[in-house]
Amino acid sequence: MHRTMKVFVLLLSTIVATASSGAIIGGWGDYTFEYIPNKLHIPSPANVDNIHGIAVDVDDNIIVTFQDKNASDLCMVRFTADDDYAEGKLFGPGASLCAGVPHGLRLIDEEGEPFLYHANNAQKLRKTTLDGEIIWAIDEIPDENMNASTYSPTWFAAQDGSNFVYMTDGYGSSKIYVYTKDGKYTGFSFGGIGSDHGQFMTSHSITYDWRVDMMVVSDRENHRLEYFSIDPEDPSIFEYEKTVEVEGLQRPCNIRFDENGVGIIPDLQGPVIIVDENNTLLSVVNVTEMLGVEGFLHPHDAHWLPNGDFVVVTWAPGEIGYFKKQ
């Protein structure tokens, strides 16, 4: 069977509709999920355009970053576990964080204290507290020799116990830039545009994969995950190790892991793909096939919750969906 047709059949086969109850269910086996529509409401005055990133804190609260259609001072919303994730609360410092295109969001624990790292497509990098208080702000290009007109940051990641954070210029140079956690550029960058290993066609996101002690880049338009070894004490080390291509994976945006090492990958083409600790396919929840009529068209980030459920956000139009494990 032709690869494109095989992928199409695979994704369609993930949909299960239970007509008697009206439930919308997707996936298979131990990773079957029901869409729960009465959660994750973003309150006014927000008027959401795009939604890009998710973080979950130690109290299981969900933090989401979005782009507003009308205001440059709205971009953060928190849904609390105590409220059963029903109505969100807008927060943040306003335009100093939100102006531009807020994109990737990563919660990084630093010696027991959590911080949020924000990558903004409009050449802005921010580190904040969980309440949005800005710790540092960077509004200049990391390297004076780069093409500033094509610089467009997309995501951050860090290894536990390291002083370095890795930033993807996914919509620009497709390079990885290494900073310190206090916001200083180390002078080291890796990658660039291409299809060879160690190069990327949209280095959309980077994630620390604690399962193998490596960084993994969601190389979106090369349809793959690229793994690299790093040294937590030496920012010059970023060495290609392996490539992972998951069955059905087309345009991976990010990968995250639950406590057991099960990965979840939002794919811009429409599905959310679930893999085991070896990155072997476990299930596919085809969000767009299930909920496209409600605007869930382009999954951009997904995050596990400790109870086994997951939340997904979609880009253009921006939607948030809660999926309960069956």
Side-chain angles (χ1 to χ4, degrees):
M1 183 183 295
H2 190 275
R3 180 180 182 275
T4 302
M5 180 59 69
K6 183 178 181 181
V7 169
F8 180 71
V9 172
L10 173 68
L11 299 184
L12 284 183
S13 69
T14 67
I15 304 167
V16 180
T18 52
S20 59
S21 65
I24 299 174
I25 300 174
W28 64 71
D30 291 336
Y31 292 90
T32 302
F33 298 84
E34 179 184 351
Y35 169 62
I36 307 298
N38 59 345
K39 295 181 184 288
L40 305 174
H41 175 254
I42 299 179
S44 59
N47 188 2
V48 173
D49 188 2
N50 303 316
I51 304 182
H52 287 116
I54 310 169
V56 176
D57 68 20
V58 294
D59 295 318
D60 303 337
N61 301 318
I62 300 168
I63 301 169
V64 172
T65 186
F66 63 91
Q67 182 181 13
D68 195 87
K69 292 180 180 178
N70 301 326
S72 63
D73 59 352
L74 297 173
C75 68
M76 299 292 292
V77 60
R78 180 185 287 108
F79 303 93
T80 63
D82 290 343
D83 188 41
D84 197 26
Y85 306 118
E87 184 84 1
K89 182 178 181 181
L90 300 170
F91 71 100
S96 58
L97 177 65
C98 297
V101 185
H103 195 268
L105 186 66
R106 184 78 65 188
L107 190 154
I108 296 175
D109 185 274
E110 299 180 12
E111 299 181 348
E113 186 172 4
F115 294 94
L116 294 173
Y117 282 76
H118 309 250
N120 190 306
N121 295 163
Q123 304 187 345
K124 297 166 56 175
L125 307 176
R126 300 288 187 268
K127 176 181 179 178
T128 74
T129 67
L130 295 191
D131 290 326
E133 177 187 353
I134 294 177
I135 305 299
W136 51 249
I138 302 172
D139 295 308
E140 63 269 3
I141 61 174
D143 186 346
E144 63 182 11
N145 296 316
M146 69 187 298
N147 183 353
S149 66
T150 62
Y151 173 56
S152 189
T154 48
W155 230 289
F156 275 105
Q159 180 183 12
D160 294 344
S162 173
N163 187 43
F164 303 110
V165 290
Y166 298 77
M167 184 273 292
T168 57
D169 181 23
Y171 293 158
S173 66
S174 271
K175 286 187 175 182
I176 312 297
Y177 291 90
V178 188
Y179 286 80
T180 62
K181 287 181 177 175
D182 59 358
K184 304 295 192 300
Y185 175 50
T186 65
F188 294 102
S189 64
F190 308 93
I193 295 173
S195 57
D196 293 341
H197 296 307
Q199 296 180 319
F200 315 105
M201 294 295 292
T202 307
S203 55
H204 190 262
S205 176
I206 187 168
T207 304
Y208 175 61
D209 188 342
W210 53 265
R211 306 172 304 174
V212 292
D213 192 25
M214 296 181 196
M215 286 291 176
V216 53
V217 176
S218 298
D219 187 9
R220 197 169 73 184
E221 305 313 321
N222 280 328
H223 321 295
R224 65 193 185 186
L225 304 174
E226 292 272 281
Y227 274 83
F228 299 85
S229 60
I230 62 171
D231 186 323
E233 299 180 354
D234 186 348
S236 71
I237 304 299
F238 196 84
E239 297 177 348
Y240 169 77
E241 293 290 343
K242 64 179 180 178
T243 296
V244 171
E245 295 179 342
V246 181
E247 184 179 9
L249 186 65
Q250 299 174 79
R251 301 176 72 192
C253 287
N254 194 10
I255 182 170
R256 298 181 188 269
F257 314 100
D258 70 7
E259 62 181 8
N260 298 312
V262 176
I264 188 166
I265 310 170
D267 187 313
L268 203 67
Q269 288 298 107
V272 169
I273 292 177
I274 298 168
V275 297
D276 68 11
E277 65 274 13
N278 298 310
N279 289 327
T280 301
L281 183 66
L282 284 175
S283 182
V284 178
V285 181
N286 199 320
V287 171
T288 295
E289 285 292 336
M290 296 163 64
L291 296 165
V293 295
E294 297 188 26
F296 288 79
L297 297 181
H298 303 289
H300 194 273
D301 199 10
H303 208 302
W304 293 114
L305 296 173
N307 61 5
D309 301 346
F310 74 84
V311 58
V312 62
V313 296
T314 65
W315 164 84
E319 298 287 349
I320 309 177
Y322 190 103
F323 289 80
K324 183 177 179 61
K325 192 173 184 181
Q326 300 300 287

